[in-house]
């Protein structure tokens, strides 16, 4: 099977609100496919349709060869799904949570004897098997939740904002586990708003206001989307300089990045004019994924 996920003009409408608008995508086996966008952009609604939880209003799609509209129950049995709100049972131990989910997935008792220790090893929870879930840190809970989601060894794993609310160190450990799974053949679709995580994805789709507005590798997005010369400028009270800079005829857009400003110029030849206007030396930089997505989001809004 060349693609494990395909959609054609997949759409979901709630009343008069179009949450997902004619999204078409293809995901290959073993890919880590990042799905990025601001809150309310349609990421979770798309994931829920692909998991067979929510029926599409129109359009079509398949997951592992099963039709989204007609074979939702078959899809649910073949996938792993983990969200930010994944339900662990606080009054059960690490081992008991894994055993419970093994039962949910109808894993025979004899297989659980090897499968549960595998998940404990994968989640780096060895020695904590008898610890109550309620006593685990956010990072430990998140890895346990991942173990519960993949104990059935699904071919494809859907992760919906799985690393929100945990430390950067825990996020890095989590993504190392995900990368190892992908190398071993598991397809992973992950929604995130963390750009450092997006860098580790094989491909990235960016969704805004329900519309898919980019779908490519991180490197291609950084190299090809933004047309012009991107400069970094350090100014006091940077936030209050954005509007003034965007009014300059040779500035295409300006965005704030902590204490710094990223200014998109028509061309590199305009850098000296920018230096004269600001009174400081600008530095030409390569666009980051964050720059790309700010640019795409502004384009979508017509800004």
């Amino acid at each position: 099977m060349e693609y494990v996920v395909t959609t054609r003009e997949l759409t979901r409408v709630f009343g008069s609100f179009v949450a997902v608008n004619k999204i078409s995508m293809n995901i290959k086996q073993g890919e880590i496919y990042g799905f990025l966008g601001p809150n309310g952009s349609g990421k979770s609604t798309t994931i829920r349709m692909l998991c067979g939880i929510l029926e599409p209003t129109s359009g079509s799609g398949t997951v592992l060869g099963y039709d989204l509209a007609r074979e939702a129950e078959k899809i649910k049995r073949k996938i792993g799904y983990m969200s930010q709100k994944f339900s662990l049972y606080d009054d059960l131990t690490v081992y008991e949570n894994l055993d419970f989910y093994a039962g949910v997935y109808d894993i025979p008792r004899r297989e659980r004897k090897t499968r549960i220790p595998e998940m404990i090893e994968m989640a780096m929870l060895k020695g904590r098997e008898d610890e109550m879930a309620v006593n685990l840190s956010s990072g430990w809970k998140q890895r346990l939740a991942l173990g519960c989601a993949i104990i059935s060894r699904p071919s494809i794993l859907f992760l919906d904002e799985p690393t929100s609310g945990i430390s950067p160190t825990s996020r890095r450990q989590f993504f190392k586990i995900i990368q190892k799974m992908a190398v071993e053949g598991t397809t992973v679709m992950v929604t995130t708003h963390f750009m450092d995580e997006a860098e580790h994805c094989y491909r990235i789709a960016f969704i805004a206001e329900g519309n898919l507005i980019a779908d490519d590798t991180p490197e291609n997005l950084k190299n090809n989307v933004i047309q012009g010369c991107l400069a970094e400028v350090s100014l006091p009270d940077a936030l209050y300089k954005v509007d003034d800079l965007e009014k300059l005829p040779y500035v295409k857009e300006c965005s704030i990045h902590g204490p710094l400003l990223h200014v998109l110029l028509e061309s590199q030849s305009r850098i000296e004019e920018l230096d004269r206007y600001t009174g400081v030396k600008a530095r030409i930089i390569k666009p980051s994924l964050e720059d790309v997505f700010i640019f795409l989001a502004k384009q979508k809004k017509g800004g």
Side-chain angles (χ1 to χ4, degrees):
M1 187 189 303
E2 186 179 1
Y3 297 112
V4 291
V5 174
T6 65
T7 72
R8 293 290 172 269
E9 300 197 342
L10 195 65
T11 301
R12 178 67 201 203
V13 177
F14 297 98
S16 60
F17 175 66
V18 182
V20 175
N21 185 33
K22 296 183 178 178
I23 282 184
S24 298
M25 64 173 74
N26 296 302
I27 304 175
K28 292 179 179 177
Q29 182 183 350
E31 277 193 320
I32 301 176
Y33 188 86
F35 204 43
L36 277 69
N39 290 337
S41 58
K43 301 188 301 292
S44 293
T45 302
T46 303
I47 290 267
R48 289 171 68 205
M49 284 193 283
L50 295 176
C51 290
I53 298 167
L54 194 61
E55 192 175 337
T57 304
S58 63
S60 62
T62 63
V63 173
L64 300 171
Y66 296 114
D67 185 87
L68 289 182
R70 297 193 313 270
E71 299 174 294
E73 290 307 312
K74 290 179 181 175
I75 291 172
K76 288 177 193 173
R77 290 196 291 269
K78 294 284 186 179
I79 64 170
Y81 172 70
M82 177 186 162
S83 72
Q84 188 180 342
K85 301 181 180 74
F86 190 95
S87 294
L88 290 173
Y89 291 89
D90 283 345
D91 56 345
L92 297 180
T93 65
V94 166
Y95 189 96
E96 287 167 343
N97 266 285
L98 288 163
D99 190 50
F100 172 80
Y101 277 97
V104 169
Y105 288 111
D106 294 324
I107 297 169
R109 283 276 167 199
R110 64 183 179 277
E111 287 185 34
R112 294 186 207 184
K113 288 176 182 175
T114 55
R115 196 79 59 89
I116 291 173
E118 279 176 16
M119 294 301 102
I120 288 168
E121 186 79 30
M122 176 279 300
M124 294 178 278
L125 287 165
K126 206 162 178 60
R128 294 177 179 264
E129 293 90 337
D130 298 325
E131 193 165 335
M132 302 297 282
V134 71
N135 296 327
L136 297 174
S137 69
S138 296
W140 295 115
K141 281 183 178 176
Q142 171 230 38
R143 294 207 294 272
L144 174 57
L146 178 62
C148 293
I150 65 170
I151 197 162
S152 65
R153 291 182 181 152
S155 302
I156 183 165
L157 177 62
F158 293 97
L159 302 172
D160 192 8
E161 297 283 356
T163 57
S164 292
I166 64 168
S167 71
T169 303
S170 291
R171 288 199 289 111
R172 284 193 294 273
Q173 288 174 330
F174 186 89
F175 245 76
K176 281 181 183 174
I177 295 169
I178 296 307
Q179 288 173 299
K180 185 172 183 290
M181 289 173 62
V183 167
E184 292 168 356
T186 303
T187 307
V188 181
M189 182 175 185
V190 57
T191 71
T192 181
H193 56 268
F194 294 112
M195 294 300 154
D196 57 332
E197 292 183 354
E199 290 278 2
H200 296 300
C201 296
Y202 300 12
R203 292 181 68 84
I204 298 171
F206 184 61
I207 185 172
E209 297 174 5
N211 294 277
L212 194 66
I213 55 175
D215 184 354
D216 211 330
T217 65
E219 278 308 302
N220 284 345
L221 288 170
K222 288 186 287 186
N223 291 334
N224 303 327
V225 169
I226 295 179
Q227 302 300 313
C229 172
L230 191 65
E232 187 176 79
V233 186
S234 178
L235 289 173
D237 300 322
L239 181 62
Y240 302 102
K241 307 289 175 62
V242 173
D243 288 344
D244 289 340
L245 284 166
E246 285 193 328
K247 288 173 185 169
L248 296 173
Y250 50 86
V251 172
K252 297 171 82 171
E253 70 167 53
C254 180
S255 58
I256 187 127
H257 293 252
L260 301 170
L261 289 172
H262 286 192
V263 184
L264 182 60
L265 304 170
E266 286 177 348
S267 66
Q268 189 170 334
S269 62
R270 299 288 200 168
I271 195 89
E272 289 181 6
E273 290 176 76
L274 179 66
D275 290 349
R276 284 197 296 273
Y277 179 84
T278 61
V280 298
K281 184 75 176 168
R283 184 172 72 95
I284 295 171
I285 57 170
K286 181 181 176 181
S288 67
L289 278 181
E290 189 172 2
D291 292 313
V292 170
F293 292 133
I294 289 171
F295 177 79
L296 287 169
K298 283 189 176 180
Q299 274 200 328
K300 175 63 189 161
K301 289 183 177 177

mmCIF file with all atom_site columns, all heavy atoms in Angstrom, residues 232-243:
data_model
loop_
_atom_site.group_PDB
_atom_site.id
_atom_site.type_symbol
_atom_site.label_atom_id
_atom_site.label_alt_id
_atom_site.label_comp_id
_atom_site.label_asym_id
_atom_site.label_entity_id
_atom_site.label_seq_id
_atom_site.pdbx_PDB_ins_code
_atom_site.Cartn_x
_atom_site.Cartn_y
_atom_site.Cartn_z
_atom_site.occupancy
_atom_site.B_iso_or_equiv
_atom_site.pdbx_formal_charge
_atom_site.auth_seq_id
_atom_site.auth_comp_id
_atom_site.auth_asym_id
_atom_site.auth_atom_id
_atom_site.pdbx_PDB_model_num
ATOM 1  N N   . GLU A 1 232 ? 16.858 40.044 10.443 1.00 0.00 ? 232 GLU A N   1
ATOM 2  C CA  . GLU A 1 232 ? 16.591 40.077 11.884 1.00 0.00 ? 232 GLU A CA  1
ATOM 3  C C   . GLU A 1 232 ? 17.135 41.383 12.452 1.00 0.00 ? 232 GLU A C   1
ATOM 4  O O   . GLU A 1 232 ? 18.277 41.753 12.181 1.00 0.00 ? 232 GLU A O   1
ATOM 5  C CB  . GLU A 1 232 ? 17.266 38.875 12.545 1.00 0.00 ? 232 GLU A CB  1
ATOM 6  C CG  . GLU A 1 232 ? 16.925 38.705 14.017 1.00 0.00 ? 232 GLU A CG  1
ATOM 7  C CD  . GLU A 1 232 ? 17.551 37.432 14.567 1.00 0.00 ? 232 GLU A CD  1
ATOM 8  O OE1 . GLU A 1 232 ? 18.764 37.454 14.852 1.00 0.00 ? 232 GLU A OE1 1
ATOM 9  O OE2 . GLU A 1 232 ? 16.832 36.424 14.698 1.00 0.00 ? 232 GLU A OE2 1
ATOM 10 N N   . VAL A 1 233 ? 16.290 42.058 13.240 1.00 0.00 ? 233 VAL A N   1
ATOM 11 C CA  . VAL A 1 233 ? 16.668 43.362 13.789 1.00 0.00 ? 233 VAL A CA  1
ATOM 12 C C   . VAL A 1 233 ? 16.391 43.374 15.288 1.00 0.00 ? 233 VAL A C   1
ATOM 13 O O   . VAL A 1 233 ? 15.324 42.921 15.723 1.00 0.00 ? 233 VAL A O   1
ATOM 14 C CB  . VAL A 1 233 ? 15.859 44.504 13.124 1.00 0.00 ? 233 VAL A CB  1
ATOM 15 C CG1 . VAL A 1 233 ? 16.372 45.859 13.590 1.00 0.00 ? 233 VAL A CG1 1
ATOM 16 C CG2 . VAL A 1 233 ? 15.913 44.411 11.614 1.00 0.00 ? 233 VAL A CG2 1
ATOM 17 N N   . SER A 1 234 ? 17.350 43.901 16.059 1.00 0.00 ? 234 SER A N   1
ATOM 18 C CA  . SER A 1 234 ? 17.168 44.044 17.503 1.00 0.00 ? 234 SER A CA  1
ATOM 19 C C   . SER A 1 234 ? 16.901 45.514 17.812 1.00 0.00 ? 234 SER A C   1
ATOM 20 O O   . SER A 1 234 ? 17.770 46.374 17.620 1.00 0.00 ? 234 SER A O   1
ATOM 21 C CB  . SER A 1 234 ? 18.421 43.569 18.242 1.00 0.00 ? 234 SER A CB  1
ATOM 22 O OG  . SER A 1 234 ? 18.261 43.762 19.634 1.00 0.00 ? 234 SER A OG  1
ATOM 23 N N   . LEU A 1 235 ? 15.660 45.788 18.271 1.00 0.00 ? 235 LEU A N   1
ATOM 24 C CA  . LEU A 1 235 ? 15.272 47.162 18.588 1.00 0.00 ? 235 LEU A CA  1
ATOM 25 C C   . LEU A 1 235 ? 14.636 47.216 19.973 1.00 0.00 ? 235 LEU A C   1
ATOM 26 O O   . LEU A 1 235 ? 13.910 46.290 20.356 1.00 0.00 ? 235 LEU A O   1
ATOM 27 C CB  . LEU A 1 235 ? 14.249 47.680 17.564 1.00 0.00 ? 235 LEU A CB  1
ATOM 28 C CG  . LEU A 1 235 ? 14.733 47.971 16.145 1.00 0.00 ? 235 LEU A CG  1
ATOM 29 C CD1 . LEU A 1 235 ? 13.548 48.310 15.254 1.00 0.00 ? 235 LEU A CD1 1
ATOM 30 C CD2 . LEU A 1 235 ? 15.724 49.122 16.146 1.00 0.00 ? 235 LEU A CD2 1
ATOM 31 N N   . PRO A 1 236 ? 14.851 48.286 20.716 1.00 0.00 ? 236 PRO A N   1
ATOM 32 C CA  . PRO A 1 236 ? 14.117 48.424 21.977 1.00 0.00 ? 236 PRO A CA  1
ATOM 33 C C   . PRO A 1 236 ? 12.628 48.621 21.678 1.00 0.00 ? 236 PRO A C   1
ATOM 34 O O   . PRO A 1 236 ? 12.271 49.208 20.647 1.00 0.00 ? 236 PRO A O   1
ATOM 35 C CB  . PRO A 1 236 ? 14.730 49.682 22.606 1.00 0.00 ? 236 PRO A CB  1
ATOM 36 C CG  . PRO A 1 236 ? 15.380 50.423 21.483 1.00 0.00 ? 236 PRO A CG  1
ATOM 37 C CD  . PRO A 1 236 ? 15.790 49.393 20.488 1.00 0.00 ? 236 PRO A CD  1
ATOM 38 N N   . ASP A 1 237 ? 11.775 48.109 22.573 1.00 0.00 ? 237 ASP A N   1
ATOM 39 C CA  . ASP A 1 237 ? 10.315 48.210 22.366 1.00 0.00 ? 237 ASP A CA  1
ATOM 40 C C   . ASP A 1 237 ? 9.906  47.678 20.997 1.00 0.00 ? 237 ASP A C   1
ATOM 41 O O   . ASP A 1 237 ? 9.131  48.293 20.258 1.00 0.00 ? 237 ASP A O   1
ATOM 42 C CB  . ASP A 1 237 ? 9.835  49.660 22.531 1.00 0.00 ? 237 ASP A CB  1
ATOM 43 C CG  . ASP A 1 237 ? 10.124 50.210 23.906 1.00 0.00 ? 237 ASP A CG  1
ATOM 44 O OD1 . ASP A 1 237 ? 9.997  49.452 24.892 1.00 0.00 ? 237 ASP A OD1 1
ATOM 45 O OD2 . ASP A 1 237 ? 10.489 51.396 24.008 1.00 0.00 ? 237 ASP A OD2 1
ATOM 46 N N   . ALA A 1 238 ? 10.447 46.503 20.653 1.00 0.00 ? 238 ALA A N   1
ATOM 47 C CA  . ALA A 1 238 ? 10.235 45.935 19.314 1.00 0.00 ? 238 ALA A CA  1
ATOM 48 C C   . ALA A 1 238 ? 8.755  45.813 18.953 1.00 0.00 ? 238 ALA A C   1
ATOM 49 O O   . ALA A 1 238 ? 8.351  46.087 17.819 1.00 0.00 ? 238 ALA A O   1
ATOM 50 C CB  . ALA A 1 238 ? 10.921 44.565 19.226 1.00 0.00 ? 238 ALA A CB  1
ATOM 51 N N   . LEU A 1 239 ? 7.935  45.425 19.928 1.00 0.00 ? 239 LEU A N   1
ATOM 52 C CA  . LEU A 1 239 ? 6.515  45.211 19.674 1.00 0.00 ? 239 LEU A CA  1
ATOM 53 C C   . LEU A 1 239 ? 5.846  46.448 19.088 1.00 0.00 ? 239 LEU A C   1
ATOM 54 O O   . LEU A 1 239 ? 4.958  46.344 18.231 1.00 0.00 ? 239 LEU A O   1
ATOM 55 C CB  . LEU A 1 239 ? 5.821  44.804 20.981 1.00 0.00 ? 239 LEU A CB  1
ATOM 56 C CG  . LEU A 1 239 ? 4.316  44.520 20.907 1.00 0.00 ? 239 LEU A CG  1
ATOM 57 C CD1 . LEU A 1 239 ? 4.033  43.350 19.973 1.00 0.00 ? 239 LEU A CD1 1
ATOM 58 C CD2 . LEU A 1 239 ? 3.758  44.223 22.290 1.00 0.00 ? 239 LEU A CD2 1
ATOM 59 N N   . TYR A 1 240 ? 6.302  47.620 19.522 1.00 0.00 ? 240 TYR A N   1
ATOM 60 C CA  . TYR A 1 240 ? 5.659  48.861 19.096 1.00 0.00 ? 240 TYR A CA  1
ATOM 61 C C   . TYR A 1 240 ? 6.202  49.377 17.754 1.00 0.00 ? 240 TYR A C   1
ATOM 62 O O   . TYR A 1 240 ? 5.727  50.390 17.238 1.00 0.00 ? 240 TYR A O   1
ATOM 63 C CB  . TYR A 1 240 ? 5.831  49.936 20.178 1.00 0.00 ? 240 TYR A CB  1
ATOM 64 C CG  . TYR A 1 240 ? 5.252  49.494 21.502 1.00 0.00 ? 240 TYR A CG  1
ATOM 65 C CD1 . TYR A 1 240 ? 6.092  49.046 22.522 1.00 0.00 ? 240 TYR A CD1 1
ATOM 66 C CD2 . TYR A 1 240 ? 3.877  49.476 21.716 1.00 0.00 ? 240 TYR A CD2 1
ATOM 67 C CE1 . TYR A 1 240 ? 5.572  48.620 23.742 1.00 0.00 ? 240 TYR A CE1 1
ATOM 68 C CE2 . TYR A 1 240 ? 3.349  49.045 22.924 1.00 0.00 ? 240 TYR A CE2 1
ATOM 69 C CZ  . TYR A 1 240 ? 4.200  48.611 23.931 1.00 0.00 ? 240 TYR A CZ  1
ATOM 70 O OH  . TYR A 1 240 ? 3.677  48.169 25.122 1.00 0.00 ? 240 TYR A OH  1
ATOM 71 N N   . LYS A 1 241 ? 7.192  48.678 17.187 1.00 0.00 ? 241 LYS A N   1
ATOM 72 C CA  . LYS A 1 241 ? 7.784  49.121 15.916 1.00 0.00 ? 241 LYS A CA  1
ATOM 73 C C   . LYS A 1 241 ? 7.223  48.348 14.715 1.00 0.00 ? 241 LYS A C   1
ATOM 74 O O   . LYS A 1 241 ? 7.504  48.716 13.578 1.00 0.00 ? 241 LYS A O   1
ATOM 75 C CB  . LYS A 1 241 ? 9.309  48.926 15.964 1.00 0.00 ? 241 LYS A CB  1
ATOM 76 C CG  . LYS A 1 241 ? 9.990  49.567 17.177 1.00 0.00 ? 241 LYS A CG  1
ATOM 77 C CD  . LYS A 1 241 ? 10.007 51.077 17.071 1.00 0.00 ? 241 LYS A CD  1
ATOM 78 C CE  . LYS A 1 241 ? 10.559 51.739 18.322 1.00 0.00 ? 241 LYS A CE  1
ATOM 79 N NZ  . LYS A 1 241 ? 11.933 51.429 18.654 1.00 0.00 ? 241 LYS A NZ  1
ATOM 80 N N   . VAL A 1 242 ? 6.464  47.288 14.977 1.00 0.00 ? 242 VAL A N   1
ATOM 81 C CA  . VAL A 1 242 ? 6.006  46.420 13.882 1.00 0.00 ? 242 VAL A CA  1
ATOM 82 C C   . VAL A 1 242 ? 5.188  47.195 12.868 1.00 0.00 ? 242 VAL A C   1
ATOM 83 O O   . VAL A 1 242 ? 5.452  47.150 11.652 1.00 0.00 ? 242 VAL A O   1
ATOM 84 C CB  . VAL A 1 242 ? 5.190  45.216 14.429 1.00 0.00 ? 242 VAL A CB  1
ATOM 85 C CG1 . VAL A 1 242 ? 4.565  44.426 13.283 1.00 0.00 ? 242 VAL A CG1 1
ATOM 86 C CG2 . VAL A 1 242 ? 6.088  44.305 15.259 1.00 0.00 ? 242 VAL A CG2 1
ATOM 87 N N   . ASP A 1 243 ? 4.176  47.934 13.321 1.00 0.00 ? 243 ASP A N   1
ATOM 88 C CA  . ASP A 1 243 ? 3.277  48.642 12.397 1.00 0.00 ? 243 ASP A CA  1
ATOM 89 C C   . ASP A 1 243 ? 4.036  49.664 11.557 1.00 0.00 ? 243 ASP A C   1
ATOM 90 O O   . ASP A 1 243 ? 3.801  49.777 10.339 1.00 0.00 ? 243 ASP A O   1
ATOM 91 C CB  . ASP A 1 243 ? 2.148  49.335 13.165 1.00 0.00 ? 243 ASP A CB  1
ATOM 92 C CG  . ASP A 1 243 ? 1.135  48.351 13.705 1.00 0.00 ? 243 ASP A CG  1
ATOM 93 O OD1 . ASP A 1 243 ? 1.132  47.188 13.249 1.00 0.00 ? 243 ASP A OD1 1
ATOM 94 O OD2 . ASP A 1 243 ? 0.347  48.736 14.594 1.00 0.00 ? 243 ASP A OD2 1
#
